[in-house]
């Protein structure tokens, strides 16, 4: 499973909808709409447009952080930080994915009913320049500690994707590699054949 995480600010020539369309055609498994700076109104508009593209291919839409928008657009899943998951009363009909950054958070997320965890960041990534990556051993340990699906994020590319799967991940989430790609279709195909 390959999840695409959006970041419209990383896109060079194309626009976000063209990227999503190419990704959908290349066989992406889900899209996490993560545009933290947008107002609810603008995020909702973007979510509706993306849902329109994805629904033609039955690809799930996941909304990052914003439960109001996730509900309003009837998203397939909500992606939420560990802190929000633990501290807020998350009342959402669809699946709930929790972002975790330690084994303890992974176990707690599972015990509290998370449907899957987004675990990171695994490798160095320009998106998290001041934080140490967790490394492949973290994936290995996490997969021995929990039974819910583990989606790994952070610095995933065609050279390391296989190792991530071999360490027990059920899938990966990729942002900059795809957002910055000149050829989104080809980039995703290369990831898929590298698994
Ligand atoms: C140890 C650690 N903490 C937090 C992060 C990244 O999480 P954050 O930037 O808060 O949220 P998202 O980028 O996942 O939306 C990390 N990699 N490591
Ligand atoms: C959005 C995000 N969350 C992370 C986490 O560790 O929770 S790492 C990350 C960025 C991943 O982007 P790229 O594929 O460009 O490395």
């Amino acid at each position: 499973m390959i999840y695409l995480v959006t970041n419209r600010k990383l896109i060079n020539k194309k626009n976000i909808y063209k990227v999503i369309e190419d990704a959908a055609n290349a066989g992406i498994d889900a899209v996490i709409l993560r545009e933290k700076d947008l107002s609810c109104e603008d995020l909702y508009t973007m979510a509706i447009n993306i849902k329109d593209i994805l629904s033609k291919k039955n690809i799930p839409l996941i909304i990052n952080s914003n439960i109001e928008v996730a509900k309003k657009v009837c998203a397939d899943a909500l992606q939420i930080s560990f802190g929000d998951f633990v501290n807020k009363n998350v009342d959402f009909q669809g699946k709930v994915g929790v972002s975790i950054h330690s084994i303890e958070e992974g176990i707690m997320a599972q015990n509290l009913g998370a449907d899957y965890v987004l675990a990171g960041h695994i490798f160095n990534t320009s998106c998290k320049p001041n934080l140490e990556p967790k490394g492949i051993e973290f994936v290995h340990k996490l997969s021995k500690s929990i039974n819910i699906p583990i989606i790994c994020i952070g610095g995933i590319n065609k050279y390391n994707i296989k190792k991530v799967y071999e360490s027990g991940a059920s899938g990966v989430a990729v942002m900059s590699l795809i957002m910055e790609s000149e050829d989104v279709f080809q980039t995703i195909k290369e990831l898929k054949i590298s698994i």
Side-chain angles (χ1 to χ4, degrees):
M1 276 190 303
I2 301 178
Y3 289 20
L4 167 61
V5 181
T6 75
N7 184 340
R8 71 194 190 289
K9 291 178 180 168
L10 295 178
I11 300 171
N12 277 327
K13 294 178 195 140
K14 299 173 284 285
N15 70 51
I16 185 75
Y17 303 117
K18 172 71 176 140
V19 171
I20 302 288
E21 210 170 300
D22 289 350
N25 287 333
I28 207 85
D29 295 289
V31 170
I32 301 180
L33 178 57
R34 179 181 178 275
E35 302 290 343
K36 287 182 170 181
D37 60 316
L38 287 185
S39 66
C40 278
E41 199 184 337
D42 289 346
L43 187 68
Y44 175 69
T45 303
M46 193 182 262
I48 288 288
N49 290 336
I50 291 176
K51 194 177 178 187
D52 218 40
I53 297 167
L54 297 181
S55 60
K56 290 178 191 135
K57 293 199 176 273
N58 276 322
I59 299 170
L61 171 65
I62 303 169
I63 303 291
N64 190 78
S65 300
N66 194 319
I67 189 162
E68 306 312 323
V69 170
K71 279 182 177 177
K72 206 168 158 196
V73 77
C74 296
D76 298 281
L78 170 70
Q79 184 65 42
I80 195 163
S81 71
F82 180 77
D84 280 356
F85 185 61
V86 171
N87 295 314
K88 291 185 181 170
N89 186 19
V90 179
D91 169 30
F92 183 69
Q93 297 282 26
K95 291 196 169 178
V96 176
V98 178
S99 297
I100 58 114
H101 303 101
S102 69
I103 306 291
E104 294 70 27
E105 286 182 358
I107 293 169
M108 221 162 138
Q110 170 173 279
N111 291 345
L112 293 171
D115 291 294
Y116 68 91
V117 292
L118 189 65
H121 58 295
I122 307 303
F123 302 108
N124 273 315
T125 167
S126 53
C127 306
K128 307 284 169 198
N130 303 315
L131 286 169
E132 268 297 296
K134 298 278 178 301
I136 211 73
E137 191 49 36
F138 172 65
V139 186
H140 203 73
K141 269 193 197 156
L142 187 62
S143 70
K144 301 266 176 249
S145 309
I146 61 175
N147 303 313
I148 56 176
I150 299 167
I151 309 298
C152 286
I153 187 166
I156 311 286
N157 59 40
K158 65 181 174 185
Y159 304 108
N160 58 32
I161 192 169
K162 196 175 176 65
K163 259 261 146 319
V164 174
Y165 275 87
E166 284 170 355
S167 301
S170 302
V172 299
V174 185
M175 187 169 77
S176 50
L177 183 75
I178 298 174
M179 289 290 131
E180 291 169 352
S181 172
E182 296 286 323
D183 189 339
V184 169
F185 186 89
Q186 183 62 21
T187 300
I188 292 168
K189 286 287 177 196
E190 283 175 7
L191 280 173
K192 284 171 84 88
I193 59 165
S194 304
I195 293 171

